[in-house]
């Protein structure tokens, strides 16, 4: 077992990190003076892991869309009742969420951390699948899918992902469809659990006023109580994603007061991990802020003519195998806004981002990074996500400090490529 | 300088003037100083929309930073300090607020002076906005912000959960100020001009009772804020309050249609209990048992047992004495959902809840109250709400009240809950196909 303390004097922060042999990575970030402790137990298994092959199997298995999210729901059904009950009895608040690349179980509590933490570790290692439970959960998940189908921002994002990506499972909704979850069975849930919920594929993060050695003891005890055969890592199959988009434009009508527009740029094919990923993300974010952010001349001129309002924003989201920039907002004139965005991206690809803008936005991002340390929830989330992507939590400050206008300009010139652009619109339903 | 004791663990109250109170809590565990200035006004039809517009006008320019771009660039220079204005509603009080959230100077290079810079920017936005030659908000900016507010109000339709809740409250409290949305009314916009909006801003600055809440900022903060906001110190204010209403003899029923897949069922109840009532703790527990947690009756019975909804929860507004139950359901199963919700409220009032339901809720509530102390924004939200209803009480006292409340208090509180309005929002008959797939009915 390897373990160490990392520290950052400027941030006045220390981070404990350990890798248990054949087991999970463990992170502890002390928050002296906080009443709440926050713990997560996450597996590197998300909605894009829908095709995999175990060593010795003749061919890969393709599972129904939405199964990682379904499994997340189903994990709370335990042999002795609902896993939420034990948290509630301890006064802890529990939850879980599924992303494209991971599934996270979590709780926070202001008292009796130990039993709640033991429960978190135990229930995730002790699933209880029954056909009755699967059938009941299916109905709830189908309601959840319908609820999101009525959410215009969600639909806009989904349309954009589908327009940008042709084959990568990132273009499929995390929850799947009403139809695909109909095909999920107890046997498939168990198969996915066995494949991906192995401690060696997982990470434990604790943020709070807790002792790191004690956390390690509790983790070791729990692993000993739930023995598993050594992990055989599955091969995760991803289709070859072509560089081009699926379609240049997607339009849907629904009950909205006015049109929503999103312009997206997809990442080039390939894998990006570690510090390179952090650089890619921060250069893109600072660049988008400079071109489209609240302090840009463009935003002000669009705002003053009523083309955009405060709903307009530009952001980047990237993981190891996919990523996109999304520029979106409500507007009365989506055609005009799309033209203006295209013109702005052409300009920035030619002329780059001014040094002064980068300097100011670097400062601003640094302040935002510091403010993140106020929130145990966002820290817990970030620790696991950074670990899965091979990134050190304190590296962001260095990457920001080393950021240059040349790097930002070059990144935008490469990324804001009209060939890798797709547009999505949600328009008001016709009367 | 301190003329009041320590009314809330961590909160110290100082009077900076007859209508200006500063509540400050120590914030060494945080990396920031967070501060909010609330200017309170009665929620009323005559001023609701003008008041809602004021913060948007204040964000458009001020002395030294004449436009949006300049203000934003100043914020970025201050290490991304968030400084801005907004509007909110608590009970029948509408408040314009100016917020500030800045990285504490001890984490920044020496001489950064971020806190002083951010307080200065906040004071400029509130007290020295950019005005035209006649001392009014410029006409073009007024026109743009009226347009934007109109869009935001129309855009409420996009979030069907929120929209259903607002429509339910509007129907339920028709004729009471509480029916008004703090974001304002579409119909008022045409009649509002620069002169009236400038007057509304001046009235607020010259007359409104003002509460400032700050987490962090250290010993120098009171002086810094006191000097920057000195013009707010004078004047004698009237504190706005909230009136409790009663339910009609038989419940109102409203059904509306919008193109949508899921339906929203909103049930509005009245209870005479508000903050300060002897059954306050009993009512907190009752609302929690009904629908505040994953172990609550609504979640268990509407969602888990009947697979009927993805969400079903209850919210008690402790200033107005209104309980709102909200759920997202299959439109065909409307009657079943209403029946199950009604049965949960009846069970509560009849004392049909077990020890676990009571004790889990007690633990969940106290856990939530303690956890508030770990977030500057949550601390300020909770304290602002409390301060509108009376003096701040220490956390330990509030937790002790919850610990002391018994089953009989919960039952007595639950018996005051009376159904007032059933609001149902649904798609037209013959639901459109789900996005990206063939139509597929929900299964039983």
């Amino acid at each position: 077992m390897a373990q160490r303390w990392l520290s950052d004097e400027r941030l006045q922060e220390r981070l404990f990190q350990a890798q248990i042999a054949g087991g999970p990575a463990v992170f502890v970030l002390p928050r002296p003076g906080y009443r709440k402790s926050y713990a997560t137990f996450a597996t590197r298994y998300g909605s894009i892991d829908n095709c995999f092959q175990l060593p010795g199997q003749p061919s890969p298995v393709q599972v129904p869309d939405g199964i990682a999210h379904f499994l997340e729901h189903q994990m709370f059904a335990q042999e002795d009742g609902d896993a939420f009950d034990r948290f509630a009895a301890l006064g802890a608040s529990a939850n879980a969420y599924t992303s494209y690349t991971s599934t996270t179980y979590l709780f926070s509590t202001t008292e009796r951390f130990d039993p709640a933490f033991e429960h978190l570790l135990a229930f995730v290692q002790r699933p209880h699948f029954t056909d009755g439970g699967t059938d009941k959960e299916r109905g709830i998940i189908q309601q959840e899918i319908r609820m999101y189908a009525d959410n215009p921002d969600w639909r806009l994002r989904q349309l954009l992902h589908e327009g940008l990506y042709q084959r990568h499972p990132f273009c499929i909704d995390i929850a799947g469809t009403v139809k695909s979850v109909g095909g999920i069975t107890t046997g498939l849930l168990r198969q996915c659990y066995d494949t991906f919920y192995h401690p060696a594929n997982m990470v434990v993060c604790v943020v709070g006023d807790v002792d790191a050695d004690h956390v390690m003891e509790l983790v070791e005890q729990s692993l000993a109580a739930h023995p598993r055969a050594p992990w055989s890592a599955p091969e995760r199959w991803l289709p070859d994603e072509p560089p081009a988009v699926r379609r240049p434009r997607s339009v849907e009508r629904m009950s909205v007061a006015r049109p929503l527009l999103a312009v997206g740029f997809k990442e080039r094919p390939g894998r990006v991990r570690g510090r390179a990923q952090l650089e890619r993300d921060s250069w893109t974010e600072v660049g988008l802020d400079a071109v489209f952010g609240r302090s840009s001349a463009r935003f002000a001129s669009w705002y003053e003519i009523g083309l955009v309002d405060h709903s307009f924003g530009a952001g980047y989201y990237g993981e190891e195998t996919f990523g996109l920039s999304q520029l979106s907002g409500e507007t009365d004139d989506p055609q005009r806004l799309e033209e203006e965005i295209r013109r702005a991206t052409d300009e920035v690809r030619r002329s780059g981002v001014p040094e002064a803008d980068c300097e100011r936005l670097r400062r601003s991002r640094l302040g935002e990074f510091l403010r993140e340390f106020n929130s145990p929830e966002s820290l817990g989330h970030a620790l696991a996500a950074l670990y899965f992507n091979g990134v050190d939590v304190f590296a962001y400050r260095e990457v920001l400090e080393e950021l240059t206008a040349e790097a930002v300009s070059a990144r935008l010139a490469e990324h804001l490529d009209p060939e890798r652009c797709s547009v999505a619109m949600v328009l008001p339903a016709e009367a | 300088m301190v003329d009041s004791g320590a009314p809330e663990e961590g909160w110290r109250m100082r009077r900076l003037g007859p209508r200006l109170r500063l509540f400050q809590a120590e914030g060494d565990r945080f990396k920031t100083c967070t501060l909010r200035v609330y200017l309170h006004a009665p929620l009323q039809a005559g001023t609701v929309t003008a008041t809602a517009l004021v913060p948007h006008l204040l964000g458009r320019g001020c002395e030294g930073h004449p436009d949006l771009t300049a203000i934003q660039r100043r914020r970025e220079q201050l290490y991304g300090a968030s400084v801005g204005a907004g509007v909110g509603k608590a009970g029948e009080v509408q408040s314009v607020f100016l917020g500030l959230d800045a990285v504490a100077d001890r984490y920044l290079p020496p001489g950064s002076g971020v806190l002083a810079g951010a307080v200065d920017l906040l004071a400029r936005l509130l007290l020295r906005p950019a005005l035209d030659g006649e001392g009014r908000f410029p006409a073009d900016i007024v026109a743009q912000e009226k347009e934007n507010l109109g869009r935001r109000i129309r855009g409420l339709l996009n979030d069907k959960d929120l929209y259903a809740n607002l429509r339910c409250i509007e129907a339920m409290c028709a004729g009471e100020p509480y029916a008004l949305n703090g974001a304002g009314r579409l119909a008022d916009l045409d009649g509002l001009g620069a002169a009236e909006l400038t007057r509304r801003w001046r009235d607020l600055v010259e007359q409104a009772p003002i509460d400032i809440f700050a987490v962090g900022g250290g010993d120098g903060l009171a002086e810094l804020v006191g000097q920057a906001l000195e013009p707010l110190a004078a004047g004698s204010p009237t504190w706005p309050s909230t009136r409790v209403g009663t339910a009609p003899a038989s419940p109102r029923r409203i059904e509306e249609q919008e193109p949508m897949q899921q339906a929203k069922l909103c049930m509005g109840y009245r209870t005479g209990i508000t903050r300060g009532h002897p059954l306050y703790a009993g009512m907190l527990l009752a609302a929690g048992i009904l629908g505040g947690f994953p172990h609550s009756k609504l979640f268990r019975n509407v969602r888990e047992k009947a697979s009927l909804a993805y969400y079903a929860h209850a919210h008690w507004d402790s200033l107005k004495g209104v309980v709102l139950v909200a759920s997202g359901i299959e439109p065909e199963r409307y009657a079943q959902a209403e029946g199950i919700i009604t049965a949960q409220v009846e069970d509560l009032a009849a004392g049909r809840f077990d020890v676990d339901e009571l004790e889990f809720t007690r633990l969940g509530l106290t856990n939530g109250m303690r956890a508030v102390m770990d977030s500057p924004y949550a601390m300020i939200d909770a304290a602002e709400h409390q301060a509108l209803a009376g003096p701040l009480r220490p956390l330990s006292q509030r937790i002790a009240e919850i610990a002391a409340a018994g089953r009989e208090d919960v039952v007595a509180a639950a018996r005051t809950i009376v159904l007032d309005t059933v609001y149902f929002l649904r798609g037209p008959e013959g639901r459109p196909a789900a996005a990206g797939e063939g139509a597929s009915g929900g299964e039983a």
Side-chain angles (χ1 to χ4, degrees):
Chain A
M1 187 185 64
Q3 65 178 57
R4 62 182 172 144
W5 281 94
L6 296 174
S7 62
D8 185 310
E9 283 180 20
R10 290 261 305 277
L11 293 173
Q12 300 172 36
E13 291 290 343
R14 299 167 73 223
L15 173 71
F16 173 85
Q17 108 181 22
Q19 176 63 57
I20 296 175
V26 180
F27 291 89
V28 180
L29 189 67
R31 308 286 338 116
Y34 272 63
R35 309 208 178 195
K36 178 163 63 184
S37 295
Y38 179 81
T40 65
F41 192 17
T43 172
R44 191 178 158 220
Y45 168 56
S47 66
I48 67 166
D49 301 304
N50 64 355
C51 185
F52 52 87
Q53 185 173 11
L54 287 169
Q57 280 181 339
S59 59
V61 189
Q62 177 86 38
V63 292
D65 296 333
I67 196 164
H69 171 257
F70 200 122
L71 185 52
E72 172 230 301
H73 274 236
Q74 205 54 39
M75 287 301 296
F76 284 90
Q78 296 277 294
E79 192 162 11
D80 54 354
D82 193 321
F84 277 117
D85 282 352
R86 175 92 182 117
F87 285 116
L90 294 164
S93 165
N95 212 337
Y97 56 88
T98 307
S99 76
Y100 292 103
T101 55
S102 63
T103 311
T104 305
Y105 300 84
L106 61 97
F107 75 87
S108 69
T109 187
T110 54
E111 281 189 309
R112 288 188 286 182
F113 172 79
D114 286 10
F117 187 55
E118 285 165 355
H119 178 53
L120 173 76
L121 298 172
F123 97 82
V124 177
Q125 294 182 79
R126 196 179 56 203
H128 179 66
F129 300 116
T130 61
D131 290 339
T134 307
D135 290 342
K136 194 197 76 179
E137 208 58 41
R138 193 179 292 122
I140 294 172
I141 291 171
Q142 288 173 334
Q143 284 301 330
E144 183 179 2
I145 292 170
R146 291 215 168 82
M147 182 177 80
Y148 285 121
D150 283 331
N151 179 321
D153 292 319
W154 188 270
R155 281 304 302 155
L156 183 74
R157 196 158 52 229
Q158 186 53 33
L159 280 178
L160 187 66
H161 296 177
E162 286 167 18
L164 286 170
Y165 278 84
Q166 304 190 43
R167 304 178 64 197
H168 193 293
F170 171 60
C171 68
I172 303 162
D173 192 308
I174 291 169
T177 62
V178 169
K179 205 161 158 184
S180 75
V181 302
I184 292 173
T185 63
T186 309
L188 285 168
L189 289 171
R190 185 173 293 122
Q191 186 181 6
C192 289
Y193 178 87
D194 289 342
T195 306
F196 292 103
Y197 280 63
H198 191 287
N201 191 42
M202 301 179 77
V203 60
V204 176
C205 302
V206 180
V207 182
D209 202 352
V210 292
D211 176 62
D213 291 335
H214 184 57
V215 166
M216 285 302 287
E217 265 171 47
L218 295 175
V219 174
E220 303 264 19
Q221 279 168 19
S222 184
L223 292 172
H226 301 90
R228 288 283 290 269
W231 197 45
S232 30
E235 188 175 347
R236 301 168 197 241
W237 286 78
L238 280 176
D240 286 326
E241 174 66 28
V245 299
R246 181 201 301 258
R247 53 178 180 253
R249 181 174 305 276
S250 316
V251 179
E252 191 167 296
R253 290 190 180 268
M254 60 192 290
S255 163
V256 289
R258 63 191 186 117
L260 279 74
L261 170 81
V263 177
F265 293 87
K266 79 192 258 193
E267 206 45 81
R268 281 189 304 196
R271 288 176 180 270
V272 182
R273 277 180 67 76
R275 197 177 174 101
Q277 190 188 89
L278 204 53
E279 287 174 348
R280 174 193 75 183
D281 295 2
S282 45
W283 295 348
T284 319
E285 284 164 357
V286 166
L288 291 174
D289 282 353
V291 184
F292 299 105
R294 292 281 187 275
S295 64
S296 68
R298 275 183 201 86
F299 178 81
S301 67
W302 296 349
Y303 187 91
E304 279 161 18
I305 59 168
L307 188 58
V308 298
D309 58 18
H310 286 289
S311 69
F312 181 80
Y316 180 78
Y317 167 56
E319 296 271 357
E320 184 176 337
T321 63
F322 63 89
L324 83 160
S325 287
Q326 176 176 333
L327 302 91
S328 57
E330 295 179 16
T331 178
D332 289 332
D333 192 348
Q335 282 77 20
R336 168 88 191 273
L337 181 55
E338 181 191 337
E339 283 164 24
E340 293 283 348
I341 289 173
R342 287 185 186 275
R343 190 170 311 139
T345 52
D346 288 346
E347 277 169 24
V348 71
R349 293 183 84 207
R350 278 198 309 273
S351 49
V353 174
E355 178 73 46
D357 286 351
C358 280
E359 179 50 40
R360 219 182 45 244
L361 292 163
R362 176 225 313 276
R363 254 191 195 207
S364 181
R365 288 269 163 190
L366 187 61
E368 277 168 39
F369 175 58
L370 278 153
R371 295 200 300 203
E372 291 243 335
F373 282 84
N374 273 1
S375 159
E377 287 83 357
S378 72
L379 287 172
H381 175 75
L383 284 172
L386 293 172
Y387 166 73
F388 287 140
N389 283 305
V391 181
D392 166 17
V393 68
F394 298 134
Y396 185 66
R397 188 172 60 77
E398 285 167 30
V399 166
L400 275 181
E401 279 166 359
E402 289 164 15
L403 171 148
T404 63
E406 291 75 47
V408 171
S409 299
R411 164 62 182 162
L412 289 192
E414 175 269 306
H415 176 57
L416 300 179
D417 178 349
E419 298 295 310
R420 283 184 276 129
C421 176
S422 182
V423 175
M425 291 183 204
V426 169
L427 302 177
E430 279 148 300
Chain B
M1 185 129 189
V2 179
D3 55 44
S4 170
E8 164 70 290
E9 257 160 53
W11 287 114
R12 270 203 308 170
M13 198 267 271
R14 297 169 169 91
R15 244 175 223 293
L16 302 181
R19 64 186 176 106
L20 184 56
R21 304 189 291 187
L22 169 68
F23 298 86
Q24 188 181 8
E26 180 276 322
D28 282 353
R29 61 196 178 283
F30 302 119
K31 288 215 160 25
T32 51
C33 171
T34 307
L35 178 143
R36 240 189 221 163
V37 180
Y38 289 89
L39 293 86
H40 299 303
L43 181 66
Q44 51 193 25
T47 51
V48 65
T49 310
T51 305
L53 263 170
V54 165
H56 301 292
L57 296 167
L58 297 181
R60 291 300 303 273
C62 63
E63 186 190 290
H65 312 291
D67 55 30
L68 268 183
T69 312
I71 293 172
Q72 179 63 22
R73 290 188 175 184
R74 178 67 183 139
R75 291 184 37 197
E76 287 165 0
Q77 278 161 353
L78 296 167
Y79 287 86
S82 142
V83 181
V87 67
K89 163 186 168 182
E92 291 176 346
V93 179
Q94 188 185 20
S95 307
V96 169
F97 58 84
L98 281 98
L100 174 164
D101 184 35
V103 175
D105 287 320
R106 64 184 180 278
Y107 296 102
L108 297 171
S112 300
V114 163
L115 180 58
V119 169
D120 172 67
L121 178 57
L122 183 148
R124 285 168 190 259
L125 291 175
L126 176 59
L127 303 173
R128 298 190 290 285
L131 302 176
D132 66 13
E134 293 165 63
R136 296 173 182 171
F137 290 117
D140 55 335
I141 283 178
V142 168
Q144 287 162 23
E145 292 305 331
K146 279 169 61 176
E147 185 66 33
N148 281 335
L149 182 60
R151 287 179 184 138
R152 263 194 302 279
I153 296 171
R154 285 189 293 270
L156 293 170
L157 176 67
N158 293 8
D159 182 341
K160 296 292 184 289
D161 299 336
L162 178 66
Y163 180 75
N165 290 0
L166 289 171
R167 293 287 299 141
C168 181
I169 289 292
E170 234 171 68
M172 174 169 166
C173 300
E176 300 169 64
Y178 195 70
L180 296 165
N181 180 351
R185 299 189 298 190
L186 218 44
D188 295 338
L189 281 172
D190 281 346
L192 288 172
E196 187 170 359
L197 290 163
T198 310
R199 196 176 323 121
R200 187 69 200 126
W201 162 66
R202 284 198 194 284
D203 284 350
L204 285 165
V205 164
E206 286 165 11
Q207 293 162 22
I210 297 167
D211 282 335
I212 304 173
F213 297 89
V215 179
D219 292 338
L221 185 78
E223 200 183 335
L224 192 63
V225 169
Q227 279 172 5
L229 300 181
E230 198 272 327
L232 298 176
S236 51
T238 324
W239 283 84
S241 62
T242 300
R243 205 169 45 87
V244 175
T246 52
S250 64
R252 287 169 257 241
R253 293 188 165 271
I254 292 116
E255 179 175 326
E256 293 183 325
Q257 291 196 355
E258 281 296 327
M260 54 197 278
Q261 296 201 21
Q262 214 188 27
K264 307 290 175 188
L265 175 61
C266 229
M267 298 177 63
Y269 297 82
R270 304 267 189 177
T271 159
I273 300 172
T274 56
R275 278 179 189 275
H277 192 282
L279 285 173
Y280 173 74
M283 191 63 213
L284 264 182
L285 286 161
I289 294 170
L290 180 63
F293 300 93
H295 67 261
S296 298
K297 285 184 177 295
L298 288 173
F299 195 82
R300 277 293 155 80
N301 292 289
V302 183
R303 177 179 144 128
E304 299 285 322
K305 279 199 193 136
S307 267
L308 203 57
Y310 176 65
Y311 74 92
H313 49 73
H315 173 76
W316 171 43
D317 183 330
S318 62
L319 291 171
K320 180 65 180 172
V322 159
V323 178
L324 206 62
V325 171
S327 65
I329 59 168
E330 280 289 308
E332 294 76 20
R333 303 175 75 186
Y334 158 60
Q336 192 189 352
E338 187 187 333
I340 296 177
I341 292 170
T342 303
Q344 306 318 306
V345 178
E346 285 169 4
D347 282 355
L348 194 64
R352 286 190 290 270
F353 51 89
D354 60 29
V355 175
D356 279 356
E357 288 177 280
L358 175 61
E359 296 310 320
F360 290 5
T361 302
R362 203 190 302 277
L363 285 167
L365 287 172
T366 47
N367 184 52
M369 283 180 177
R370 286 195 198 95
V372 160
M373 303 301 286
D374 288 348
S375 156
Y377 285 112
M379 286 174 71
I380 289 175
D381 283 346
E384 189 254 347
H385 217 249
Q386 274 195 67
L388 281 175
L392 293 189
R393 289 173 309 121
L395 181 67
S396 54
Q397 187 187 332
R398 289 184 295 130
I399 288 176
E401 279 171 15
I402 290 176
R407 164 174 288 271
E408 65 288 354
D409 296 307
V410 178
V411 171
R415 285 196 176 140
T416 67
I417 300 177
V418 181
L419 181 61
D420 183 304
T421 298
V422 181
Y423 174 83
F424 186 49
L425 180 67
R426 60 168 301 167
E429 313 281 341
R431 193 177 60 208
E437 64 186 315
S440 159
E443 49 195 73

